[in-house]
Amino acid sequence: MGNRKSQLEYDAPWRKTTWGTKKKDDLINDIKGIEPTTGDLKCLRVLLVGPCGSGKSSFINSVNNALKGRITSGALCDRATGGSFTVEYKPIKIESGHSSLSVVFNDIMGMEPGCKQGCPVEDIIKAIHGHVRNGHVFNPEKPLSPEDEDYVKDPTLSDQAFCVVYVLAADRIQLTDPSVLEKIKDIRMQVRALALPQVMVLTNVDQACPLVNANLQRIYYSKKIKEKMEWCSNRLGVPMCHAFPVKNYHEEIETNNDMDILILQALHQIIHVANDNSQARSSNNY
Ligand SMILES: Nc1nc2c(ncn2[C@@H]2O[C@H](COP(=O)(O)OP(=O)(O)OP(=O)(O)O)[C@@H](O)[C@H]2O)c(=O)[nH]1
Ligand SMILES: [Mg+2]
């Protein structure tokens, strides 16, 4: 038993955090206190990308659940058997309680191996630059072209994305087809010039580690979770300090403090880096 325990967990946490209601309230207050760094910005847009079924839509709902203290369903989720369940470019307002800084997460079609499968990489790049109209239905065989009605020719600052969040499922990521990881790397290379912040959210931690499944507070003791996060960080080049493990809401009927704290830690970082980038981008006139 002792031996099995040491196989699964470290003696000390590899990332320090506190738990409990106060921690959660502090995170929510911090998030509410973030001031917009640029006056012309109506909305701080964040784009979620990742393989099909990795938990993108669930993460958006989880963020709103954590902030509202109840189960919401703004983004539709599904245990889809093949292909992406989300096909539309859908903005979902994050209920952060801000009056001056409106945060919007854009849900997007999932990525799939091979060409002409899943969300086209060029459409993700266009979305980052603000060229994709909200409500656009992605077509894997036909990326958006400047002649299309859904192509926004002169995007405003509020149409652009200021942070890309790579959502990856911890229990499956090492089995992901290498071509999907290549597509993500391709996005990273293409947006280098924007100095776009990139955050990694590792979902399904409950399915990836029995220790974490039994007690979420053991997450930063888990060798498996650390190993998976390092694997993703090395493959994609996103530093560990921008990587956050979460358990998304999927079967719960009430919110849970431990789940909320992990979700809010990720959100806190996402809003901060997106806000910093909006200032840099508006002053550089990208
Ligand atoms: N156990 C567990 N299940 C999860 C978690 N996150 C998502 N799920 C489940 O995984 C399935 C897929 O989640 P979605 O949020 O629809 O994934 P998606 O990335 O939006 O998928 P596409 O739109 O198809 O690309 C759903 O059945 C979710 O309930 C998690 O952290 N833990
Ligand atoms: Mg989805």
Side-chain angles (χ1 to χ4, degrees):
M1 175 69 193
N3 199 16
R4 170 151 169 80
K5 190 170 180 284
S6 66
Q7 276 171 14
L8 291 176
E9 59 184 317
Y10 294 107
D11 292 335
W14 48 272
R15 181 179 283 176
K16 289 213 166 59
T17 189
T18 47
W19 304 94
T21 314
K22 181 173 181 312
K23 172 73 180 179
K24 179 178 151 180
D25 292 345
D26 287 351
L27 277 165
I28 293 182
N29 285 335
D30 272 1
I31 290 167
K32 283 185 182 161
I34 301 173
E35 289 290 331
T37 50
T38 166
D40 349 331
L41 196 66
K42 280 197 233 66
C43 108
L44 193 65
R45 195 176 298 279
V46 171
L47 190 65
L48 273 76
V49 303
C52 278
S54 65
K56 298 176 289 299
S57 303
S58 303
F59 179 63
I60 299 181
N61 290 338
S62 297
V63 161
N64 272 335
N65 295 351
L67 289 167
K68 285 183 137 180
R70 66 175 177 83
I71 305 299
T72 63
S73 62
L76 291 181
C77 315
D78 190 66
R79 179 73 66 190
T81 41
S84 181
F85 184 69
T86 305
V87 291
E88 191 187 326
Y89 189 57
K90 186 175 177 195
I92 295 162
K93 192 170 183 300
I94 299 304
E95 306 285 344
S96 61
H98 272 289
S99 50
S100 50
L101 183 66
S102 151
V103 181
V104 168
F105 275 18
N106 257 90
D107 202 6
I108 199 166
M109 184 183 207
M111 298 167 81
E112 287 178 54
C115 70
K116 299 195 174 174
Q117 302 289 328
C119 194
V121 167
E122 50 266 66
D123 281 1
I124 295 175
I125 306 294
K126 285 178 202 119
I128 292 169
H129 288 278
H131 292 301
V132 181
R133 198 172 303 287
N134 289 328
H136 172 66
V137 175
F138 293 99
N139 181 348
E141 308 224 335
K142 192 177 166 295
L144 193 62
S145 85
E147 291 74 46
D148 289 334
E149 223 176 72
D150 284 348
Y151 187 91
V152 178
K153 288 202 174 55
D154 299 306
T156 65
L157 209 53
S158 300
D159 293 321
Q160 301 175 33
F162 296 107
C163 177
V164 171
V165 179
Y166 300 113
V167 180
L168 308 165
D171 59 332
R172 271 163 285 149
I173 187 62
Q174 283 147 314
L175 305 173
T176 306
D177 192 291
S179 70
V180 174
L181 297 175
E182 281 308 313
K183 287 182 183 181
I184 296 180
K185 269 166 92 180
D186 190 11
I187 299 170
R188 284 181 52 72
M189 298 311 280
Q190 292 199 47
V191 297
R192 261 185 318 187
L194 302 176
L196 191 70
Q198 297 167 57
V199 170
M200 210 162 66
V201 168
L202 220 69
T203 65
N204 284 70
V205 291
D206 52 316
Q207 309 265 35
C209 174
L211 179 77
V212 173
N213 190 28
N215 180 1
L216 199 55
Q217 289 196 9
R218 304 304 289 173
I219 192 141
Y220 293 129
Y221 286 84
S222 164
K223 290 184 175 175
K224 244 194 181 127
I225 299 299
K226 180 164 189 261
E227 177 236 312
K228 284 178 191 296
M229 282 176 61
E230 281 172 345
W231 189 91
C232 295
S233 167
N234 291 336
R235 286 299 144 113
L236 303 181
V238 176
M240 279 291 273
C241 61
H242 281 188
F244 295 88
V246 300
K247 179 185 172 191
N248 278 331
Y249 283 97
H250 61 110
E251 59 184 11
E252 299 72 12
I253 56 165
E254 284 179 357
T255 57
N256 167 290
N257 260 342
D258 296 342
M259 286 169 72
D260 288 348
I261 286 170
L262 293 176
I263 292 161
L264 293 168
Q265 280 175 332
L267 177 69
H268 187 262
Q269 178 74 354
I270 291 167
I271 300 185
H272 264 296
V273 294
N275 202 23
D276 291 346
N277 185 244
S278 71
Q279 183 186 33
R281 295 253 291 277
S282 67
S283 50
N284 284 330
N285 232 349
Y286 281 118

